[in-house]
Amino acid sequence: MENDSHAYVAQVAAAIYPYVHFVHARLKQKGASELLGLTRSMVEQGIPLQQIVVNDRVDVALLTLAGAVQLPANGLPAQDVKGLLPKGTRCGVSVHSLEEAQIAERAGADYVLYGHVYETHCKPGVVPRGTAQLERICRLSNIPVIALGGIQPHHIPELYHAGASGIAVMSGIWEAESPIAAAMEYRQMVDQIVCSRCKETRVEEFRKKYGQVSGEEI
Ligand SMILES: Cc1nc(C(=O)O)sc1CCOP(=O)(O)O
Protein backbone atom coordinates (compact mmCIF):
# COMPACT_ATOMS: atom_id res chain seq x y z
CA MET A 1 0.00 0.00 0.00
CA GLU A 2 2.80 2.34 0.98
CA ASN A 3 4.56 1.72 -2.33
CA ASP A 4 1.29 2.16 -4.24
CA SER A 5 0.68 5.55 -2.67
CA HIS A 6 4.30 6.60 -3.39
CA ALA A 7 3.84 5.56 -6.98
CA TYR A 8 0.61 7.59 -7.25
CA VAL A 9 2.15 10.73 -5.69
CA ALA A 10 5.22 10.33 -7.90
CA GLN A 11 3.04 9.96 -11.00
CA VAL A 12 1.14 13.16 -10.24
CA ALA A 13 4.39 14.95 -9.42
CA ALA A 14 5.82 13.77 -12.75
CA ALA A 15 2.79 15.19 -14.56
CA ILE A 16 3.19 18.62 -12.96
CA TYR A 17 6.98 18.97 -12.89
CA PRO A 18 7.19 20.55 -16.36
CA TYR A 19 5.18 23.51 -14.99
CA VAL A 20 7.19 24.09 -11.82
CA HIS A 21 10.85 24.67 -11.08
CA PHE A 22 11.17 22.22 -8.18
CA VAL A 23 9.19 19.34 -6.69
CA HIS A 24 9.52 18.64 -2.95
CA ALA A 25 9.72 15.09 -1.59
CA ARG A 26 8.16 15.64 1.82
CA LEU A 27 6.71 13.10 4.26
CA LYS A 28 6.72 14.80 7.66
CA GLN A 29 5.06 11.96 9.55
CA LYS A 30 7.04 9.13 7.96
CA GLY A 31 10.52 7.68 8.34
CA ALA A 32 13.60 7.87 6.16
CA SER A 33 12.87 4.66 4.23
CA GLU A 34 9.47 5.97 3.07
CA LEU A 35 11.01 9.26 2.01
CA LEU A 36 13.72 7.37 0.15
CA GLY A 37 11.02 5.29 -1.57
CA LEU A 38 9.07 8.37 -2.61
CA THR A 39 12.15 10.14 -3.92
CA ARG A 40 13.20 7.07 -5.92
CA SER A 41 9.67 6.74 -7.33
CA MET A 42 9.85 10.36 -8.47
CA VAL A 43 13.10 9.64 -10.28
CA GLU A 44 11.62 6.48 -11.84
CA GLN A 45 8.69 8.57 -13.09
CA GLY A 46 11.16 10.78 -14.94
CA ILE A 47 11.51 13.83 -12.70
CA PRO A 48 15.07 15.12 -13.14
CA LEU A 49 17.11 14.82 -9.92
CA GLN A 50 18.04 18.49 -10.19
CA GLN A 51 14.38 19.39 -9.74
CA ILE A 52 13.82 17.28 -6.63
CA VAL A 53 14.10 18.84 -3.17
CA VAL A 54 14.34 16.27 -0.37
CA ASN A 55 12.83 17.63 2.83
CA ASP A 56 14.48 17.24 6.23
CA ARG A 57 16.64 14.14 5.61
CA VAL A 58 20.20 14.85 4.54
CA ASP A 59 20.90 11.10 4.40
CA VAL A 60 18.09 10.61 1.86
CA ALA A 61 19.37 13.54 -0.21
CA LEU A 62 22.82 11.96 -0.15
CA LEU A 63 21.56 8.50 -1.14
CA THR A 64 19.45 9.81 -4.01
CA LEU A 65 21.76 12.65 -5.14
CA ALA A 66 18.75 14.98 -5.27
CA GLY A 67 19.42 18.52 -6.45
CA ALA A 68 18.46 20.15 -3.17
CA VAL A 69 17.68 19.53 0.46
CA GLN A 70 15.18 21.53 2.56
CA LEU A 71 16.10 21.85 6.22
CA PRO A 72 13.97 22.99 9.15
CA ALA A 73 14.98 26.24 10.87
CA ASN A 74 16.32 24.30 13.86
CA GLY A 75 18.13 21.75 11.66
CA LEU A 76 21.80 21.27 10.84
CA PRO A 77 23.71 24.35 9.57
CA ALA A 78 23.38 24.63 5.80
CA GLN A 79 27.11 25.08 5.22
CA ASP A 80 27.94 21.81 7.02
CA VAL A 81 25.24 19.97 5.10
CA LYS A 82 26.53 21.33 1.80
CA GLY A 83 29.98 20.03 2.74
CA LEU A 84 28.54 16.50 2.91
CA LEU A 85 26.55 16.60 -0.31
CA PRO A 86 27.89 16.69 -3.88
CA LYS A 87 29.14 20.09 -5.02
CA GLY A 88 26.30 22.23 -6.32
CA THR A 89 23.58 20.65 -4.19
CA ARG A 90 21.34 23.49 -3.05
CA CYS A 91 20.36 23.84 0.55
CA GLY A 92 17.19 25.69 1.60
CA VAL A 93 15.95 26.43 5.10
CA SER A 94 12.31 26.82 6.20
CA VAL A 95 11.94 29.94 8.35
CA HIS A 96 9.14 31.75 10.18
CA SER A 97 10.75 35.03 11.25
CA LEU A 98 13.39 37.58 10.27
CA GLU A 99 15.68 36.21 12.97
CA GLU A 100 15.46 32.67 11.59
CA ALA A 101 16.00 33.98 8.05
CA GLN A 102 19.15 35.81 9.13
CA ILE A 103 20.49 32.79 11.01
CA ALA A 104 19.86 30.62 7.92
CA GLU A 105 21.62 33.11 5.66
CA ARG A 106 24.66 33.32 7.96
CA ALA A 107 24.74 29.51 8.12
CA GLY A 108 25.10 29.32 4.34
CA ALA A 109 21.56 28.65 3.11
CA ASP A 110 21.10 29.15 -0.63
CA TYR A 111 17.54 30.36 -0.08
CA VAL A 112 14.83 30.43 2.58
CA LEU A 113 11.21 29.32 2.42
CA TYR A 114 9.18 31.79 4.50
CA GLY A 115 5.69 31.11 5.75
CA HIS A 116 3.00 30.92 6.28
CA VAL A 117 2.00 34.13 4.55
CA TYR A 118 -1.75 33.49 4.23
CA GLU A 119 -4.27 31.44 6.13
CA THR A 120 -3.84 27.74 5.34
CA HIS A 121 -5.53 24.69 6.77
CA CYS A 122 -2.08 23.07 6.90
CA LYS A 123 -1.28 25.37 9.84
CA PRO A 124 -4.50 25.44 11.85
CA GLY A 125 -4.64 27.88 14.73
CA VAL A 126 -1.45 29.73 13.72
CA VAL A 127 -2.01 33.34 12.64
CA PRO A 128 -0.71 33.97 9.11
CA ARG A 129 2.37 36.19 9.01
CA GLY A 130 1.22 38.41 6.14
CA THR A 131 2.93 40.24 3.30
CA ALA A 132 4.30 43.17 5.39
CA GLN A 133 6.59 40.81 7.30
CA LEU A 134 7.46 39.04 4.05
CA GLU A 135 8.45 42.39 2.51
CA ARG A 136 10.70 43.18 5.51
CA ILE A 137 12.45 39.81 5.33
CA CYS A 138 12.97 40.14 1.56
CA ARG A 139 14.40 43.64 2.00
CA LEU A 140 16.84 42.53 4.70
CA SER A 141 17.94 39.26 3.12
CA ASN A 142 20.73 38.71 0.61
CA ILE A 143 19.50 35.30 -0.48
CA PRO A 144 16.24 34.48 -2.29
CA VAL A 145 13.11 34.36 -0.15
CA ILE A 146 10.41 31.98 -1.36
CA ALA A 147 6.91 32.66 -0.03
CA LEU A 148 4.80 29.78 1.29
CA GLY A 149 1.45 29.11 2.87
CA GLY A 150 -2.10 29.54 1.59
CA ILE A 151 -0.97 30.92 -1.76
CA GLN A 152 -3.57 31.16 -4.53
CA PRO A 153 -2.72 32.31 -8.08
CA HIS A 154 -4.25 35.76 -7.47
CA HIS A 155 -1.78 36.36 -4.60
CA ILE A 156 1.25 36.06 -6.88
CA PRO A 157 1.55 39.72 -7.97
CA GLU A 158 1.58 41.02 -4.39
CA LEU A 159 4.07 38.37 -3.28
CA TYR A 160 6.52 39.32 -6.03
CA HIS A 161 5.83 42.98 -5.32
CA ALA A 162 6.83 42.33 -1.69
CA GLY A 163 10.17 41.02 -2.99
CA ALA A 164 9.62 37.25 -3.03
CA SER A 165 11.87 35.46 -5.51
CA GLY A 166 9.39 32.64 -5.91
CA ILE A 167 6.47 30.80 -4.39
CA ALA A 168 5.94 27.33 -2.96
CA VAL A 169 2.51 25.73 -3.09
CA MET A 170 1.19 22.55 -1.54
CA SER A 171 -2.61 22.37 -1.14
CA GLY A 172 -3.39 24.76 -4.02
CA ILE A 173 -1.99 22.10 -6.37
CA TRP A 174 -2.36 18.81 -4.53
CA GLU A 175 -5.95 19.40 -3.46
CA ALA A 176 -7.09 20.86 -6.78
CA GLU A 177 -9.49 18.86 -8.91
CA SER A 178 -6.79 18.86 -11.59
CA PRO A 179 -3.30 19.33 -10.11
CA ILE A 180 -1.91 19.76 -13.63
CA ALA A 181 -4.35 22.56 -14.52
CA ALA A 182 -3.64 24.22 -11.14
CA ALA A 183 0.14 24.02 -11.65
CA MET A 184 -0.28 25.55 -15.11
CA GLU A 185 -2.35 28.39 -13.70
CA TYR A 186 0.24 29.22 -11.02
CA ARG A 187 3.03 29.01 -13.58
CA GLN A 188 1.25 31.28 -16.05
CA MET A 189 0.80 33.92 -13.36
CA VAL A 190 4.45 33.71 -12.29
CA ASP A 191 5.65 33.94 -15.89
CA GLN A 192 3.46 37.01 -16.48
CA ILE A 193 5.03 38.81 -13.52
CA VAL A 194 8.57 37.80 -14.41
CA CYS A 195 8.09 38.77 -18.10
CA SER A 196 6.63 42.16 -17.25
CA ARG A 197 9.61 42.76 -14.94
CA CYS A 198 12.02 41.82 -17.74
CA LYS A 199 10.30 44.27 -20.03
CA GLU A 200 10.46 47.05 -17.40
CA THR A 201 14.20 46.41 -16.99
CA ARG A 202 14.76 46.50 -20.74
CA VAL A 203 12.80 49.76 -21.06
CA GLU A 204 14.86 51.25 -18.23
CA GLU A 205 18.17 50.17 -19.83
CA PHE A 206 17.07 51.50 -23.22
CA ARG A 207 16.01 54.78 -21.63
CA LYS A 208 19.38 55.19 -19.93
CA LYS A 209 21.18 54.55 -23.22
CA TYR A 210 18.99 56.43 -25.68
CA GLY A 211 16.93 58.84 -23.57
CA GLN A 212 13.13 58.98 -23.47
CA VAL A 213 11.41 56.02 -25.13
CA SER A 214 8.07 54.31 -24.86
CA GLY A 215 7.71 50.63 -23.92
CA GLU A 216 6.21 49.86 -27.35
CA GLU A 217 9.48 50.78 -29.08
CA ILE A 218 11.35 47.92 -27.44
C1 LIG B 1 4.27 22.98 4.63
C2 LIG B 1 4.07 24.32 5.16
N1 LIG B 1 5.00 24.90 5.93
C3 LIG B 1 4.64 26.10 6.31
C4 LIG B 1 5.44 26.96 7.17
O1 LIG B 1 5.01 28.05 7.50
O2 LIG B 1 6.53 26.50 7.49
S1 LIG B 1 3.14 26.58 5.71
C5 LIG B 1 2.95 25.11 4.94
C6 LIG B 1 1.74 24.75 4.17
C7 LIG B 1 1.90 24.99 2.72
O3 LIG B 1 0.95 25.81 2.38
P1 LIG B 1 -0.27 25.46 1.43
O4 LIG B 1 -0.68 24.03 1.64
O5 LIG B 1 -1.32 26.38 1.96
O6 LIG B 1 0.21 25.73 0.07
Side-chain angles (χ1 to χ4, degrees), residues 82-199:
K82 284 165 74 175
L84 288 173
L85 297 170
K87 200 165 180 288
T89 306
R90 286 157 47 84
C91 189
V93 177
S94 300
V95 301
H96 306 93
S97 65
L98 175 61
E99 192 196 358
E100 285 183 358
Q102 291 184 328
I103 291 171
E105 182 177 332
R106 282 199 297 274
D110 292 301
Y111 66 91
V112 290
L113 268 187
Y114 171 72
H116 56 297
V117 178
Y118 303 105
E119 187 110 25
T120 169
H121 67 81
C122 299
K123 296 276 165 176
V126 187
V127 177
R129 296 181 168 88
T131 50
Q133 181 65 351
L134 170 69
E135 193 275 332
R136 186 155 172 262
I137 291 176
C138 293
R139 189 162 30 84
L140 298 172
S141 296
N142 299 300
I143 54 175
V145 177
I146 311 298
L148 166 78
I151 298 174
Q152 295 295 320
H154 69 269
H155 292 130
I156 291 172
E158 69 177 0
L159 293 168
Y160 276 76
H161 186 71
S165 296
I167 57 159
V169 177
M170 205 162 74
S171 44
I173 290 178
W174 286 95
E175 291 170 18
E177 203 172 313
S178 164
I180 303 173
M184 285 172 78
E185 194 184 345
Y186 280 98
R187 181 58 186 264
Q188 211 170 22
M189 196 60 128
V190 167
D191 284 351
Q192 254 178 38
I193 301 288
V194 172
C195 282
S196 67
R197 285 223 176 138
C198 274
K199 186 163 180 188

